[in-house]
Amino acid sequence: MADKTNSTRSTPLPYRSAYGTYQHRWIQESTCVSSAVIRYGDVVQFDGNVATANFRVRKSSTMANVPNVLSTNVFLGIAVGIPSDPASTVTATAPGSTDQGRMVQICLATGDTEFMFPTKSSAVTSSLVGQQRAIGYDSTLGMFYCDVANSTAGDATLVITDILEPGTDANNPVIVKFLSTAVSRLLRA
């Protein structure tokens, strides 16, 4: 195989489920996020910064410990649709205080769902299977990725379950599950 080139279209996506189908849920987008527009493939979480609307979702924080995505809140899954307005206008813009009904389709990070994540590595080998790694964010490309180079235990949010194309080619994707301690209690219950 040849090297992969990451681009703005390189995103995490659902890969397989133990039961043959993914659990999707439409959840209301947070109205308190002004610039972090949710796009397909974004890692999302409940908005724990707003006590009155913490049931809404927002794009996971990409500022803490850049490039690794660390959060005081826990992950919910991957956005598999852009926010849509029930009034039938579909946009990819930031929500305003009047947008009370924008919904986002999420593929939930349940224990039986695996995701394919892009990497930014010169080599993805089979020795990574079973290893815990962090989620990274590339602000230039606007993409979340599995940071296979980071082995810091405190940053770990993913466990690598499979390698599709092991070898020395750059940017080969990995198959991962979210660690149970890194996902919302809603998914662990």
Coordinates of all heavy atoms in Angstrom, one line a residue, residues 63-108:
M63 N -8.6 22.6 22.8 CA -7.6 23.5 23.3 C -6.8 23.0 24.4 O -5.6 23.3 24.5 CB -8.3 24.8 23.8 CG -9.0 25.6 22.7 SD -7.9 26.1 21.4 CE -6.8 27.2 22.3
A64 N -7.3 22.1 25.2 CA -6.5 21.6 26.3 C -5.4 20.7 25.9 O -5.6 19.7 25.1 CB -7.5 20.8 27.3
N65 N -4.2 21.0 26.3 CA -3.0 20.1 26.0 C -2.9 19.8 24.5 O -2.6 18.7 24.1 CB -3.2 18.8 26.8 CG -1.8 18.1 26.9 OD1 -0.8 18.8 26.8 ND2 -1.8 16.9 27.2
V66 N -3.0 20.8 23.7 CA -3.0 20.7 22.2 C -1.7 20.0 21.9 O -0.7 20.2 22.4 CB -3.0 22.1 21.6 CG1 -2.7 22.1 20.1 CG2 -4.3 22.8 21.8
P67 N -1.7 19.0 20.9 CA -2.8 18.7 20.1 C -3.7 17.6 20.7 O -4.7 17.3 20.0 CB -2.1 18.1 18.9 CG -0.9 17.3 19.5 CD -0.5 18.2 20.6
N68 N -3.5 17.1 21.9 CA -4.4 16.1 22.4 C -5.7 16.7 22.9 O -5.7 17.8 23.5 CB -3.7 15.3 23.5 CG -2.5 14.6 22.9 OD1 -2.6 14.0 21.9 ND2 -1.4 14.6 23.6
V69 N -6.7 16.0 22.7 CA -8.1 16.4 23.1 C -8.3 15.9 24.5 O -8.5 14.7 24.7 CB -9.1 15.9 22.2 CG1 -10.5 16.3 22.6 CG2 -8.9 16.4 20.8
L70 N -8.2 16.7 25.5 CA -8.6 16.4 26.9 C -9.7 17.2 27.3 O -9.9 18.3 26.9 CB -7.4 16.6 27.8 CG -6.2 15.7 27.6 CD1 -5.0 16.1 28.5 CD2 -6.5 14.3 27.8
S71 N -10.5 16.7 28.1 CA -11.7 17.4 28.5 C -12.1 17.0 29.9 O -11.9 15.9 30.4 CB -12.9 17.0 27.6 OG -14.1 17.6 28.0
T72 N -12.7 17.9 30.6 CA -13.3 17.6 31.9 C -14.6 16.9 31.8 O -15.1 16.3 32.7 CB -13.5 18.9 32.7 OG1 -14.4 19.8 32.0 CG2 -12.2 19.6 33.0
N73 N -15.2 16.9 30.6 CA -16.4 16.2 30.3 C -16.0 14.9 29.5 O -14.9 14.7 29.1 CB -17.3 17.1 29.4 CG -18.8 16.7 29.5 OD1 -19.1 15.5 29.9 ND2 -19.6 17.5 29.2
V74 N -16.9 14.0 29.3 CA -16.7 12.8 28.7 C -17.3 12.7 27.3 O -18.2 13.4 27.0 CB -17.2 11.6 29.5 CG1 -16.3 11.4 30.8 CG2 -18.6 11.8 29.9
F75 N -16.7 11.8 26.5 CA -17.1 11.7 25.1 C -18.5 11.0 24.9 O -18.8 10.2 25.7 CB -16.1 11.0 24.3 CG -14.7 11.7 24.4 CD1 -13.7 11.2 25.0 CD2 -14.5 13.0 23.8 CE1 -12.5 11.8 25.1 CE2 -13.3 13.6 23.9 CZ -12.3 13.1 24.5
L76 N -19.1 11.4 23.8 CA -20.4 10.8 23.5 C -20.4 9.9 22.2 O -21.0 8.9 22.1 CB -21.5 11.9 23.3 CG -22.9 11.4 23.2 CD1 -23.3 10.7 24.5 CD2 -23.8 12.6 23.0
G77 N -19.6 10.4 21.3 CA -19.4 9.6 20.0 C -18.9 10.5 18.9 O -18.3 11.5 19.1
I78 N -19.3 10.1 17.7 CA -18.8 10.8 16.5 C -20.1 11.4 15.8 O -21.0 10.6 15.6 CB -18.1 9.8 15.5 CG1 -16.9 9.1 16.2 CG2 -17.7 10.5 14.2 CD1 -15.8 10.0 16.5
A79 N -20.0 12.6 15.3 CA -21.0 13.2 14.6 C -21.1 12.6 13.2 O -20.1 12.5 12.5 CB -20.8 14.7 14.5
V80 N -22.2 12.1 12.8 CA -22.4 11.5 11.5 C -23.3 12.3 10.6 O -23.8 11.8 9.6 CB -22.8 10.0 11.5 CG1 -21.6 9.2 12.1 CG2 -24.0 9.8 12.3
G81 N -23.6 13.5 11.0 CA -24.5 14.4 10.3 C -24.2 15.8 10.8 O -23.7 16.0 11.9
I82 N -24.5 16.8 10.0 CA -24.3 18.2 10.4 C -25.6 18.6 11.1 O -26.7 18.1 10.9 CB -24.0 19.1 9.2 CG1 -25.1 19.1 8.2 CG2 -22.7 18.7 8.6 CD1 -24.9 20.2 7.1
P83 N -25.5 19.7 11.9 CA -26.6 20.1 12.7 C -27.7 20.5 11.7 O -27.5 21.2 10.7 CB -26.1 21.4 13.4 CG -24.7 21.1 13.6 CD -24.3 20.4 12.3
S84 N -28.9 20.1 12.0 CA -30.1 20.4 11.1 C -31.2 21.1 11.9 O -31.4 20.8 13.0 CB -30.6 19.2 10.4 OG -31.1 18.3 11.4
D85 N -31.8 22.0 11.2 CA -32.9 22.7 11.8 C -34.2 22.0 11.5 O -34.5 21.7 10.4 CB -32.9 24.1 11.2 CG -33.9 25.1 11.9 OD1 -34.8 24.6 12.6 OD2 -33.8 26.3 11.7
P86 N -35.1 21.7 12.5 CA -36.3 21.1 12.3 C -37.2 21.9 11.3 O -38.1 21.3 10.7 CB -37.0 21.0 13.6 CG -35.9 21.2 14.6 CD -34.8 22.0 13.9
A87 N -36.9 23.2 11.1 CA -37.7 24.0 10.2 C -37.2 23.8 8.7 O -37.4 24.6 7.9 CB -37.6 25.5 10.6
S88 N -36.4 22.7 8.5 CA -36.0 22.2 7.2 C -34.9 23.1 6.6 O -34.6 22.9 5.4 CB -37.1 22.1 6.2 OG -37.5 23.4 5.7
T89 N -34.2 23.9 7.3 CA -33.0 24.6 6.8 C -31.8 23.9 7.3 O -31.7 23.7 8.5 CB -33.0 26.1 7.2 OG1 -33.0 26.1 8.6 CG2 -34.1 26.8 6.7
V90 N -31.0 23.4 6.5 CA -29.8 22.7 6.9 C -28.6 23.6 6.7 O -28.4 24.1 5.6 CB -29.6 21.4 6.0 CG1 -28.3 20.7 6.4 CG2 -30.8 20.5 6.2
T91 N -27.8 23.8 7.7 CA -26.7 24.7 7.7 C -25.5 24.1 8.4 O -25.6 23.1 9.1 CB -27.0 26.0 8.4 OG1 -27.3 25.8 9.8 CG2 -28.2 26.7 7.8
A92 N -24.4 24.6 8.1 CA -23.1 24.2 8.8 C -22.5 25.5 9.4 O -21.3 25.7 9.3 CB -22.2 23.6 7.8
T93 N -23.3 26.3 10.0 CA -22.9 27.5 10.7 C -23.0 27.3 12.2 O -23.7 26.4 12.6 CB -23.6 28.7 10.2 OG1 -25.0 28.5 10.5 CG2 -23.5 28.9 8.7
A94 N -22.4 28.2 12.9 CA -22.5 28.2 14.3 C -23.9 28.5 14.8 O -24.6 29.4 14.2 CB -21.5 29.1 14.9
P95 N -24.4 27.9 15.9 CA -25.7 28.2 16.3 C -25.8 29.6 17.0 O -24.8 30.0 17.6 CB -26.0 27.1 17.4 CG -24.6 26.7 17.8 CD -23.7 26.9 16.7
G96 N -26.9 30.1 17.0 CA -27.2 31.4 17.7 C -28.1 31.2 18.8 O -28.7 30.1 19.0
S97 N -28.4 32.2 19.6 CA -29.3 32.0 20.8 C -30.7 31.7 20.4 O -31.5 31.3 21.2 CB -29.2 33.3 21.6 OG -29.6 34.4 20.9
T98 N -31.0 32.0 19.1 CA -32.4 31.7 18.7 C -32.6 30.3 18.1 O -33.7 29.9 17.8 CB -32.8 32.7 17.6 OG1 -32.0 32.7 16.5 CG2 -32.8 34.2 18.2
D99 N -31.5 29.6 17.8 CA -31.5 28.3 17.3 C -31.7 27.2 18.4 O -30.8 26.7 18.9 CB -30.2 28.0 16.5 CG -30.0 28.9 15.3 OD1 -31.0 29.3 14.7 OD2 -28.8 29.1 15.0
Q100 N -32.9 27.0 18.7 CA -33.2 26.1 19.8 C -33.5 24.7 19.4 O -33.5 23.8 20.3 CB -34.5 26.6 20.6 CG -34.2 28.0 21.2 CD -33.1 28.0 22.2 OE1 -33.0 27.1 23.1 NE2 -32.3 29.0 22.2
G101 N -33.6 24.4 18.1 CA -34.0 23.1 17.7 C -33.0 22.4 16.8 O -33.3 21.3 16.3
R102 N -31.8 22.9 16.7 CA -30.8 22.2 15.8 C -30.4 20.9 16.4 O -29.9 20.8 17.5 CB -29.6 23.1 15.5 CG -30.0 24.3 14.6 CD -28.9 25.4 14.6 NE -27.6 24.9 14.5 CZ -26.7 25.2 13.4 NH1 -27.2 26.0 12.5 NH2 -25.5 24.7 13.4
M103 N -30.5 19.8 15.6 CA -30.2 18.5 16.1 C -29.0 18.0 15.3 O -28.8 18.3 14.1 CB -31.4 17.6 15.8 CG -32.7 18.1 16.5 SD -32.7 18.1 18.3 CE -33.0 16.4 18.6
V104 N -28.2 17.1 16.0 CA -27.0 16.5 15.4 C -27.2 15.0 15.5 O -27.5 14.5 16.6 CB -25.7 17.0 16.1 CG1 -24.5 16.3 15.5 CG2 -25.6 18.5 16.2
Q105 N -26.9 14.3 14.4 CA -27.0 12.8 14.5 C -25.6 12.3 15.0 O -24.6 12.6 14.4 CB -27.3 12.2 13.2 CG -27.5 10.7 13.3 CD -27.9 10.1 11.9 OE1 -27.7 10.7 10.9 NE2 -28.5 8.9 12.0
I106 N -25.6 11.5 16.0 CA -24.4 11.0 16.7 C -24.4 9.5 16.6 O -25.4 8.8 16.9 CB -24.4 11.4 18.2 CG1 -24.6 12.9 18.4 CG2 -23.1 10.9 18.8 CD1 -23.6 13.8 17.8
C107 N -23.2 8.9 16.2 CA -23.0 7.5 16.3 C -22.4 7.3 17.7 O -21.3 7.8 18.0 CB -22.1 7.0 15.2 SG -21.8 5.2 15.4
L108 N -23.1 6.7 18.6 CA -22.7 6.6 20.0 C -21.5 5.7 20.2 O -21.4 4.6 19.6 CB -23.9 6.1 20.8 CG -25.2 7.0 20.8 CD1 -26.3 6.3 21.7 CD2 -24.8 8.4 21.3

